[in-house]
Amino acid sequence: MRAYYMKTQESHARLTDLAVPTPGPGEIRVAIRACGLNFADLLMQKGTYQDTPRAPFTLGMEISGTVDAVGAGVTTLVPGDRIAVYSGQGGLADYGVFDAARAIKLPETMPFHHAAAFQIAYGTSHMALAYRARMQPGETLLVTGAAGGVGLSAVEIGKLMGATVIAQARGADKLEVARAAGADHLIDASEDLRARVLELGGADVVYDAIGGETFKAAFRACNPEARLLPIGFAGGEVPQIPANHLLVKNLTVIGFYIGGYLKFRPEAVTQSLRTLIDWYLEGRLTPHVSNILPLERVEEGMTLLRERRSTGKVVITM
């Protein structure tokens, strides 16, 4: 089988022929049909992601496909079942072996490319906004990097939860994508973010995927008792938060990493995904996939992420 494989942490990931794996107890083998790309895949290649596996490993964090074989003790799934798995690794391959407990059955009406684009972006945004920030209807949500995978899902979910959504992105095309997802107000990345948000009444919740100066400007545009979620650092700089400034407006900075919940509260992730799939079936969520590429073009997909030329998700198909 083919796999986008990192042999050592110092080597570059490349397509490699590997043996088809055998599932062990509690595991399933999946014939992978699609894998969503994430900014974290780029960080893993550099060894800078907070949850980088030890090499050798196959990249690819979220997959969809069909169960091909089951290991001992697996009774909830059978070969042929359509499933999605938040795998953390191993997704950019023709086959993968995963913990059966992480698999979620897919409705027949959900295409594989939507399922592969769904779990991390929507799961992160839903749990961050609903479970961690406890955002309420009528509050104002500021989303930075609003045309990216997690940012766009935050716009969509924020609107569903009854928030007024301010979306920041770079360029008219990306802002139009955010507007179509439900954003009430649009701010170009070239504008003064702090000034524009304050003109709109300030932010009650900040969902920041950029970091650096963008986070600092959003921080200064917060209303009293606002909650800030530093979701990612696509701009390359991890912001340093002045604790004394938190006191003045009684602000709260909330850490959130969905992968951590898979380790200590996996049922919270599962319940969130069930809610999201229900919303999808009701037509309330529409995953935006800007690029669908075959596995042979995975490097092209990574470049789209690296150069920020995609909107929503990039999906690799097998």
Side-chain angles (χ1 to χ4, degrees):
M1 72 171 194
R2 304 162 303 164
Y4 192 59
Y5 186 70
M6 284 196 67
K7 188 172 183 180
T8 69
Q9 199 60 64
E10 294 73 31
S11 64
H12 183 74
R14 60 188 71 248
L15 275 179
T16 305
D17 287 326
L18 300 176
V20 175
T22 301
E27 294 179 334
I28 55 173
R29 183 170 68 214
V30 180
I32 299 171
R33 295 288 298 276
C35 179
L37 296 189
N38 292 275
F39 192 76
D41 291 310
L42 299 177
L43 299 180
M44 282 188 189
Q45 293 193 65
K46 298 191 294 184
T48 57
Y49 188 57
Q50 66 263 24
D51 203 10
T52 300
R54 179 173 293 182
F57 68 95
T58 297
L59 288 156
M61 300 179 69
E62 55 182 335
I63 65 103
S64 62
T66 57
V67 176
D68 182 66
V70 300
V74 176
T75 58
T76 56
L77 297 166
V78 297
D81 281 346
R82 301 174 81 255
I83 53 95
V85 181
Y86 177 8
S87 57
Q89 60 172 297
L92 287 168
D94 292 310
Y95 294 89
V97 165
F98 310 106
D99 185 343
R102 289 195 177 195
I104 294 177
K105 288 186 180 180
L106 295 175
E108 290 295 329
T109 54
M110 191 175 204
F112 286 117
H113 71 278
H114 274 182
F118 196 79
Q119 297 169 87
I120 292 178
Y122 282 103
T124 294
S125 294
H126 181 249
M127 289 195 68
L129 295 175
Y131 185 76
R132 294 291 286 146
R134 302 190 183 278
M135 189 173 68
Q136 300 300 308
E139 290 192 305
T140 296
L141 167 66
L142 169 62
V143 180
T144 70
V150 291
L152 197 60
S153 66
V155 170
E156 204 171 354
I157 288 173
K159 194 63 180 174
L160 274 178
M161 291 177 65
T164 297
V165 180
I166 304 172
Q168 185 221 34
R170 186 171 298 280
D173 290 346
K174 290 187 176 182
L175 288 171
E176 175 56 27
V177 170
R179 186 204 61 76
D184 298 284
H185 305 286
L186 306 175
I187 301 176
D188 192 272
S190 63
E191 299 180 71
D192 185 329
L193 179 64
R194 174 177 178 267
R196 289 280 286 110
V197 173
L198 289 175
E199 286 174 7
L200 295 168
D204 301 308
V205 178
V206 172
Y207 186 100
D208 175 50
I210 305 300
E213 293 300 318
T214 299
F215 180 89
K216 293 175 187 177
F219 186 98
R220 297 173 65 204
C222 283
N223 292 327
E225 296 189 324
R227 290 88 73 205
L228 298 99
L229 294 149
I231 294 296
F233 318 110
E237 179 187 341
V238 178
Q240 303 304 301
I241 298 164
N244 58 320
H245 292 187
L246 296 174
L247 309 183
V248 178
K249 291 185 179 178
N250 291 285
L251 304 180
T252 302
V253 179
I254 302 172
F256 176 74
Y257 167 50
I258 192 171
Y261 275 88
L262 287 172
K263 297 175 182 177
F264 66 86
R265 282 203 63 190
E267 70 279 4
V269 179
T270 302
Q271 183 56 52
S272 172
L273 289 174
R274 288 191 181 121
T275 297
L276 291 166
I277 288 175
D278 285 344
W279 287 353
Y280 176 89
L281 292 174
E282 293 166 5
R284 301 172 73 189
L285 296 176
T286 306
H288 178 86
V289 179
S290 63
N291 301 86
I292 301 176
L293 302 169
L295 185 57
E296 293 81 7
R297 295 170 63 188
V298 63
E299 290 280 4
E300 183 180 334
M302 293 292 186
T303 299
L304 288 170
L305 289 188
R306 187 179 298 110
E307 297 179 357
R308 300 190 203 177
R309 290 193 282 117
S310 60
T311 55
K313 294 288 285 191
V314 177
V315 172
I316 303 300
T317 57
M318 301 9 164

